[in-house]
């Protein structure tokens, strides 16, 4: 039945020329988007590997010096990308991907790839995610708006129903036929998953949510085509729905989320770090720690301590600042997460928002994954500081502080080897979006039931 | 002329109202196996509404319909499977060939036949063989009607419902069509033909039912059809709006 319908639609459309043109244009757009994405993805992967290797070499070959000098010498870590980022780079180009790890400061991520492009180029970006999330529904609409409405206009719908074909059989044959034709554009997704990934939960779900998204648009298109009196009316309704859910609503959702959960600017946040961390209170806490240490060792000067006071003081200062960093960063991150959650919740009105959230999450290119990387980088920074400070404490001259460490110490700092978290450890963040897609499917099932009732009494419409 | 008495289509006290307009007002008639019943009436008399009720596309306000033992209001799919419908303009896919249309409609209705059998059907209805593989957009109305009948035949339907089948056909095509209908009736198919074509009705029908304002106003048997001037009887009923 499906093959028969496919064959008929293919022959019909081929003779009309419409479908082949549409398929050709969509495939071309996707090809260009994939090639462009492949180019930037390869560059990113190469950069990341180069940065990782050169930074490790720079760290190890920094020469003999005091551990605290090494702490200020610092190192850079770059966020590795996932192979699914090839299809959905998400926020990767807009977030900093490199973090400088150094003493006393928890740095924000730097170097946004978008800064490396011409400003005009930002308006013409064509990514596979854009094609799949925004243009694919448009392709579904253009292929399917007339599936039932045109049959109604040319009288073949009545003829088919009069043959005793059940409306449900007709409706679902048309829907699955549309799904089969339009799913062809998901082949690059399947290929990318098969070539670059092992079949795991993340990749399986990534492909799955795109299939569900296409199916949602196929169901909606066939239902509207069945309910509209004319193909032209069906097209207008579907284009309006597409523009609302894929273009307008996401913009409104962003405005709503930022209005409801305002976040201070990056510059203001940076100045708040400086004013909140390096305060008189910190100096007092260090002085108190000094008194407690002297009392503990029952000595009156730091020179009498059995270790280098400078190293101990540096580590105390780091730990004091770390608590402040945790507080400030967690406040800012929770504000950003609230924004992201508000945006995600509006996916109930737009399958685009639900898919976009899940797609970025599964491709590990969203804010949640950025936070995970940022936390891992900070953990590494703290490990470096602790190792260097304790080394200074234990080895530096107790009065002069003179001490030079060498490659043995630098080698004790493990290479930063960041791994993306498993999706199962983060799935709770994405439950609203999964639920939103489910709600869309349930809503469309109800719409289909209504449509079938209308199709049954075709002349009573 | 022998007509078998088995009733295939029964319409009993059918009523249907659209807003203030009473389209059907207690209409009743039957069509027997192997019989051609011509349903005559002016525009708006209720012919197409009756057909839509029979096909289950409209739900009557009251009254009963029975098609070969099936009530379309209860089981519309089975009822539709027992009848074949040919509208005034046979709706086909213009960019498909005649045989492709026949195969598509038939297979969608789960009718399994070989290509040879489908060709035989087109030959039976008199479609020229050179037209089998031509796009329907190049067909004349008569050729489209033939494909429509072939689709109906593929179903092995017990009843054939025709809505203005000869409208727009040239005399030769109309004659061919009439010949085909008689051939089908002789094979036991019950045929209900809603028409304005009084000549065809008089020539082909075994019975004529005249309806006006949603009511049956007269029924003429085979003998009477042949004896009277059908046009006079028809005009008399329509102008007088006499109710049986």
């Amino acid at each position: 039945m499906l093959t028969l319908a496919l064959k008929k639609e293919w022959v019909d459309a081929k003779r009309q020329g419409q479908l082949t043109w549409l398929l050709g244009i969509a495939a071309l757009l996707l090809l260009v988007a994939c090639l462009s994405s492949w180019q930037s993805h390869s560059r990113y992967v190469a950069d990341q590997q180069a940065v990782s290797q050169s930074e490790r070499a720079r760290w190890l070959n920094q020469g003999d010096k005091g551990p605290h000098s090494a702490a200020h010498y610092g190192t850079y870590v770059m966020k590795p990308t996932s192979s699914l980022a090839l299809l959905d780079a998400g926020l990767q180009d807009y977030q900093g991907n490199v973090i400088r790890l150094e003493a006393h400061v928890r740095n924000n991520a730097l170097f946004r790839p978008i800064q490396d492009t011409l400003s005009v180029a930002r308006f013409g970006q064509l990514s596979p995610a854009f094609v799949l999330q925004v243009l694919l529904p448009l392709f579904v609409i253009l292929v399917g708006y007339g599936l039932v409405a045109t049959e109604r206009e040319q009288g073949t719908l009545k003829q088919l129903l009069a043959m005793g074909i059940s409306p449900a059989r007709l409706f679902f044959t048309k829907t699955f036929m549309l799904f089969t034709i339009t799913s062809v554009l998901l082949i690059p997704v399947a290929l990318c998953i098969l070539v670059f990934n092992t079949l795991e939960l993340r990749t399986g779900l990534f492909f799955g949510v795109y299939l569900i998204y296409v199916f949602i648009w196929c169901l909606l298109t066939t239902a509207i085509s069945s309910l509209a009196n004319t193909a032209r009316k069906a097209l207008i309704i579907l284009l309006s729905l597409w523009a609302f859910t894929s273009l307008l609503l996401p913009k409104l959702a962003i405005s709503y989320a930022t209005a409801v959960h305002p976040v201070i600017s990056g510059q203001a946040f940076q100045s708040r770090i400086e004013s909140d961390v390096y305060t008189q209170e910190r100096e007092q806490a260090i002085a108190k720690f000094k008194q407690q240490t002297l009392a503990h060792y029952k000595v009156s000067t730091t020179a009498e301590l059995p270790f280098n006071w400078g190293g101990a003081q540096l580590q105390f200062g780091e730990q004091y600042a770390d608590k402040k960093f945790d507080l400030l960063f967690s406040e800012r991150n929770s504000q950003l997460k609230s924004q992201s959650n508000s945006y995600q919740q509006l996916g109930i009105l737009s399958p685009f928002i639900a898919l976009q959230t899940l797609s970025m999450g599964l491709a590990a290119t969203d804010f949640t994954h950025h936070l995970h990387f940022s936390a891992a980088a900070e953990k590494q920074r703290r490990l470096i500081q602790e190792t260097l400070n304790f080394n200074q404490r234990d080895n530096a001259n107790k009065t002069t502080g003179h001490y030079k460490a060498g490659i043995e110490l630098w080698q004790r700092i493990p290479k930063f080897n960041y791994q993306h978290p498993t999706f199962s450890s983060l799935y709770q963040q994405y439950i609203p979006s999964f639920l939103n897609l489910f709600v869309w499917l349930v809503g469309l099932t109800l719409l289909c039931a209504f449509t079938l009732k209308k199709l049954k009494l075709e002349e009573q419409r | 002329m022998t007509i078998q008495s088995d009733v295939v289509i029964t319409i009993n006290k059918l009523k249907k109202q659209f807003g203030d307009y009473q389209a059907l007002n207690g209409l009743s008639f039957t069509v027997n196996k192997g019989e051609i019943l011509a349903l005559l009436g002016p525009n708006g008399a209720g012919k197409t509404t009756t057909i839509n009720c029979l096909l289950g596309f409209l739900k009557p306000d009251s009254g009963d319909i029975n098609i070969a033992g099936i009530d379309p209001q209860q089981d519309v799919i089975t009822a539709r499977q027992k009848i074949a419908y040919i509208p005034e303009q046979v709706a086909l896919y213009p960019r498909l060939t005649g045989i492709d249309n026949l195969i598509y409609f038939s297979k969608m209705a789960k009718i399994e036949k070989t290509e040879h059998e489908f060709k035989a059907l087109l030959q039976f209805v008199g479609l020229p063989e050179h037209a089998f593989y031509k796009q329907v957009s190049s067909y004349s109305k008569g050729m489209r009607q033939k494909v429509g009948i072939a689709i109906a035949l593929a179903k092995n339907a017990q009843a054939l419902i025709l809505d203005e089948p000869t409208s727009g056909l040239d005399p030769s095509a109309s004659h061919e069509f009439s010949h085909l209908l008689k051939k089908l009736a002789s094979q036991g198919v019950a045929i209900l033909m809603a028409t304005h074509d009084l000549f065809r009705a008089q020539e082909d029908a075994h019975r004529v039912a005249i309806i006006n304002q949603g009511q049956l106003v007269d029924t003429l048997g085979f003998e009477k059809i042949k004896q009277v001037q059908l046009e006079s009887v028809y005009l008399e009923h329509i102008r007088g709006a006499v109710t049986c």
Side-chain angles (χ1 to χ4, degrees):
Chain A
M1 181 88 161
L2 185 61
T3 321
L4 175 76
L6 266 172
K7 192 180 158 194
K8 177 251 162 191
E9 291 298 332
W10 179 251
V11 171
D12 201 16
K14 204 171 72 175
R15 286 178 182 154
Q16 199 181 9
Q18 189 179 309
L19 183 62
T20 34
W21 272 105
L22 278 173
L23 261 176
I25 291 167
L28 184 69
L29 282 171
L30 196 56
L31 183 71
V32 170
C34 283
L35 286 175
S36 154
S37 177
W38 167 255
Q39 197 182 24
S40 54
H41 182 78
S42 307
R43 197 168 51 229
Y44 188 103
V45 170
D47 283 353
Q48 197 272 332
Q49 284 169 353
V51 166
S52 175
Q53 282 170 10
S54 70
E55 273 304 298
R56 184 67 183 165
R58 196 175 69 87
W59 174 257
L60 293 176
N61 300 318
Q62 61 182 299
D64 294 349
K65 58 176 69 156
H68 193 57
S69 296
H72 278 290
Y73 181 74
T75 186
Y76 290 90
V77 288
M78 186 167 175
K79 183 163 54 179
T81 189
S82 74
S83 44
L84 284 176
L86 175 65
L87 295 166
D88 190 351
L91 303 176
Q92 190 170 264
D93 291 351
Y94 300 88
Q95 293 164 332
N97 294 321
V98 175
I99 298 180
R100 177 169 160 76
L101 310 181
E102 61 179 325
H104 313 311
V105 188
R106 178 175 179 175
N107 288 307
N108 278 308
L110 305 163
F111 306 122
R112 296 169 172 84
I114 198 74
Q115 291 171 325
D116 300 336
T117 58
L118 283 171
S119 54
V120 285
R122 299 179 191 183
F123 299 104
Q125 288 209 331
L126 185 69
S127 67
F130 177 77
V131 175
L132 295 172
Q133 292 168 10
V134 180
L135 300 184
L136 184 54
L138 189 61
F139 176 66
V140 172
I141 291 169
L142 293 176
V143 173
Y145 74 92
L147 272 184
V148 183
T150 304
E151 298 253 17
R152 177 173 291 119
E153 284 181 291
Q154 65 189 19
T156 43
L157 177 63
K158 194 171 176 184
Q159 189 92 10
L160 280 169
L161 293 172
M163 289 288 286
I165 299 162
S166 85
R169 184 174 154 89
L170 186 68
F171 180 86
F172 288 111
T173 302
K174 296 264 183 197
T175 305
F176 282 108
M177 187 195 65
L178 182 60
F179 182 62
T180 310
I181 292 172
T182 50
S183 294
V184 166
L185 293 181
L186 291 182
I187 288 175
V189 180
L191 281 177
C192 180
I193 288 170
L194 289 173
V195 173
F196 299 107
N197 295 274
T198 49
L199 283 172
E200 54 176 36
L201 180 67
R202 230 174 231 283
T203 50
L205 281 174
F206 188 86
F207 191 60
V209 293
Y210 273 96
L211 276 180
I212 291 171
Y213 184 62
V214 176
F215 188 63
I216 282 174
W217 276 103
C218 288
L219 267 181
L220 185 65
T221 303
T222 319
I224 298 296
S225 182
S226 304
L227 291 170
N229 291 328
T230 61
R232 185 186 154 88
K233 199 171 171 184
L235 181 63
I236 290 168
I237 294 171
L238 285 163
L239 286 179
S240 307
L241 283 171
W242 170 78
F244 179 72
T245 58
S246 305
L247 301 177
L248 184 64
L249 201 70
K251 301 289 173 207
L252 291 176
I254 290 168
S255 303
Y256 167 77
T258 49
V260 174
H261 302 286
V263 177
I264 59 167
S265 71
Q267 283 168 331
F269 180 65
Q270 200 58 44
S271 83
R272 197 175 157 195
I273 287 176
E274 281 160 25
S275 62
D276 282 19
V277 178
Y278 302 104
T279 57
Q280 193 59 38
E281 192 187 322
R282 179 175 178 269
E283 298 306 318
Q284 287 166 357
I286 291 172
K288 192 179 170 189
F289 173 64
K290 185 179 173 182
Q291 290 309 316
Q292 285 171 342
T293 309
L294 292 175
H296 179 76
Y297 286 97
K298 297 185 173 104
V299 293
S300 53
T301 63
T302 53
E304 294 170 80
L305 287 169
F307 50 80
N308 173 266
W309 165 246
Q313 183 193 338
L314 282 168
Q315 184 54 27
F316 178 82
E318 283 294 334
Q319 285 171 343
Y320 179 89
D322 288 349
K323 282 179 196 162
K324 293 281 182 186
F325 289 143
D326 286 345
L327 209 66
L328 290 166
F329 273 84
S330 109
E331 190 186 331
R332 180 172 166 81
N333 290 341
S334 75
Q335 286 171 339
L336 287 165
K337 265 190 170 178
S338 300
Q339 272 191 358
S340 172
N341 289 343
S342 287
Y343 179 73
Q344 187 179 184
Q345 279 158 9
L346 286 169
I348 198 152
L349 298 174
S350 159
F352 167 81
I353 292 177
L355 174 77
Q356 189 193 43
T357 307
L358 289 172
S359 175
M360 284 195 297
L362 289 160
T365 55
D366 65 347
F367 181 63
T368 302
H369 285 80
H370 179 69
L371 283 186
H372 189 270
F373 167 73
S374 182
E378 178 60 10
K379 197 175 167 191
Q380 175 79 353
R381 188 188 76 82
R382 290 179 188 184
L383 176 72
I384 295 171
Q385 301 316 313
E386 189 182 75
T387 308
L388 298 178
N389 289 335
F390 284 161
N391 186 269
Q392 171 148 345
R393 183 192 67 183
D394 298 341
N395 298 297
N397 185 290
K398 289 168 195 143
T399 48
T400 62
H402 282 160
Y403 167 61
K404 279 189 178 177
I407 192 164
E408 294 79 18
L409 177 58
W410 319 142
Q411 279 174 333
R412 276 172 54 198
I413 306 293
K415 189 179 176 188
F416 182 67
N417 190 18
Y418 178 73
Q419 298 290 325
H420 291 297
T422 59
F423 191 72
S424 52
S425 66
L426 295 174
Y427 78 95
Q428 282 176 323
Q429 310 265 345
Y430 304 100
I431 286 176
S433 289
F434 279 116
L435 279 177
N436 287 339
L437 281 185
F438 180 71
V439 167
W440 269 86
L441 280 175
V442 171
L444 284 169
T445 306
L446 296 174
L447 180 66
C448 290
F450 176 74
T451 307
L452 294 180
K453 207 174 155 188
K454 289 277 176 189
L455 273 178
K456 207 168 168 184
L457 289 169
E458 176 63 10
E459 291 297 311
Q460 204 149 289
R461 289 157 40 78
Chain B
M1 171 77 53
T2 315
I3 298 166
Q4 292 167 329
S5 61
D6 315 37
V7 175
V8 180
I9 296 173
T10 304
I11 280 184
N12 186 30
K13 296 176 183 169
L14 211 59
K15 285 192 176 180
K16 179 71 191 174
Q17 192 161 344
F18 297 105
D20 294 336
Y21 178 65
Q22 189 74 41
L24 296 178
N25 192 11
L27 182 68
S28 300
F29 65 80
T30 58
V31 187
N32 299 320
K33 191 176 174 184
E35 179 186 40
I36 300 174
L37 175 77
L39 195 61
L40 300 181
N43 290 335
K47 300 188 296 294
T48 303
T49 304
T50 307
I51 288 174
N52 280 329
C53 288
L54 273 168
L55 292 169
F57 289 132
L58 279 179
K59 195 176 175 186
D61 300 331
S62 65
D64 303 312
I65 302 174
N66 192 296
I67 299 163
I70 308 291
D71 179 354
Q73 290 182 65
Q74 301 297 323
D75 185 357
V76 69
I77 305 297
T78 312
R80 282 175 184 168
Q81 284 165 355
K82 291 188 178 294
I83 50 181
Y85 166 65
I86 300 174
E88 181 180 355
Q89 298 286 339
V90 173
L92 300 171
Y93 299 101
R95 282 178 292 275
L96 298 189
T97 64
I99 192 149
D100 281 345
N101 267 284
L102 174 60
I103 293 172
Y104 179 70
F105 276 104
S106 304
K107 289 200 171 171
M108 283 292 279
K110 296 184 189 171
I111 298 161
E112 289 304 326
K113 286 188 191 296
T114 62
E115 188 162 340
H116 180 74
E117 287 170 315
F118 283 121
K119 277 185 188 173
L121 279 172
L122 290 176
Q123 278 164 345
F124 178 81
V125 297
L127 188 76
E129 277 195 44
H130 65 82
F132 287 9
Y133 293 97
K134 278 190 178 167
Q135 287 184 37
V136 162
S137 54
S138 66
Y139 280 20
S140 67
K141 189 180 174 188
M143 289 162 84
R144 293 168 71 95
Q145 292 280 32
K146 284 173 182 170
V147 177
I149 295 176
I151 292 169
L153 287 178
K155 284 178 80 174
N156 288 323
Q158 294 181 40
L160 183 59
I161 297 172
L162 305 134
D163 194 0
E164 303 288 357
T166 53
S167 155
L169 289 185
D170 63 46
S172 162
S174 180
H175 177 76
E176 262 187 81
F177 186 75
S178 146
H179 178 70
L180 202 53
L181 283 191
K182 285 176 183 166
K183 205 155 87 173
L184 289 176
S186 70
Q187 290 175 357
V189 179
I191 298 171
L192 171 66
M193 177 172 69
T195 184
H196 287 299
D197 188 342
L198 300 178
F199 173 73
R200 260 305 129 226
Q202 190 152 28
E203 281 291 303
D204 302 337
H206 300 129
R207 272 194 304 145
V208 166
I210 301 172
I211 66 169
N212 195 19
Q213 293 173 357
Q215 291 179 310
L216 184 69
V217 291
D218 198 2
T219 308
L220 285 71
F222 185 73
E223 302 300 328
K224 196 169 179 189
I225 298 169
K226 301 297 172 192
Q227 289 165 4
V228 296
Q229 274 278 344
L230 187 57
E231 189 177 8
S232 309
V233 177
Y234 174 75
L235 289 175
E236 183 188 327
H237 281 301
I238 300 312
R239 285 179 185 152
V242 182
T243 308
C244 285

